[in-house]
Amino acid sequence: QVQLVESGGGYAQAGGSLTLSCAASGRTSSGSALGWFRQAPGKEREFVATISWNSYARYYEDSVRGRFILSRDNTKNLVRLQMSNLKAEDTAVYYCAASPGWLPLRADEYTYWGQGTQVTVSS
């Protein structure tokens, strides 16, 4: 069992920055890939980024690559998503998720999910 709690959401202006954090707990959290997904109103949940359990690999969705940076600290059971040069289209509820896979990109590959944190970017 893995528990995930997101924090750091809020408001930002276009071009600004926000950092999301996800605190993971549970026996297998350090051995899990951790990913971020987002869901905007009226849209399906979409993949944002993921990082392997040992931080050797990361993968970003095309629209955030170069603007978002994903990192994790297994000693603190923490994963961070640093978001910069934010755009209005980044507005969504952001979810942290854990998976036993190496670098999963699909939501159905993730077993555990947090409750989500709202990010609102004004243009």
Side-chain angles (χ1 to χ4, degrees):
Q1 190 82 5
V2 176
Q3 294 79 41
L4 304 167
V5 179
E6 304 97 335
S7 62
Y11 292 88
Q13 291 191 336
S17 301
L18 282 174
T19 297
L20 305 183
S21 296
C22 176
S25 61
R27 289 180 55 189
T28 60
S29 60
S30 62
S32 301
L34 293 173
W36 286 91
F37 288 74
R38 65 188 180 186
Q39 188 166 17
K43 295 188 176 181
E44 294 187 354
R45 190 171 298 190
E46 67 173 3
F47 169 80
V48 176
T50 187
I51 186 168
S52 61
W53 69 272
N54 56 6
S55 299
Y56 282 5
R58 295 168 177 81
Y59 190 83
Y60 298 92
E61 193 269 331
D62 287 347
S63 69
V64 308
R65 189 175 294 117
R67 300 189 297 122
F68 291 9
I69 298 175
L70 184 57
S71 62
R72 68 186 292 170
D73 183 343
N74 285 345
T75 64
K76 299 179 180 179
N77 292 324
L78 202 64
V79 62
R80 283 197 174 91
L81 183 68
Q82 296 172 267
M83 307 184 295
S84 59
N85 193 19
L86 285 164
K87 304 177 180 181
E89 50 264 41
D90 294 320
T91 295
V93 177
Y94 283 71
Y95 297 90
C96 178
S99 168
W102 170 243
L103 208 63
L105 306 184
R106 301 194 319 267
D108 62 5
E109 296 180 281
Y110 288 80
T111 308
Y112 303 102
W113 292 81
Q115 293 300 306
T117 185
Q118 177 71 47
V119 170
T120 303
V121 183
S122 60
S123 58

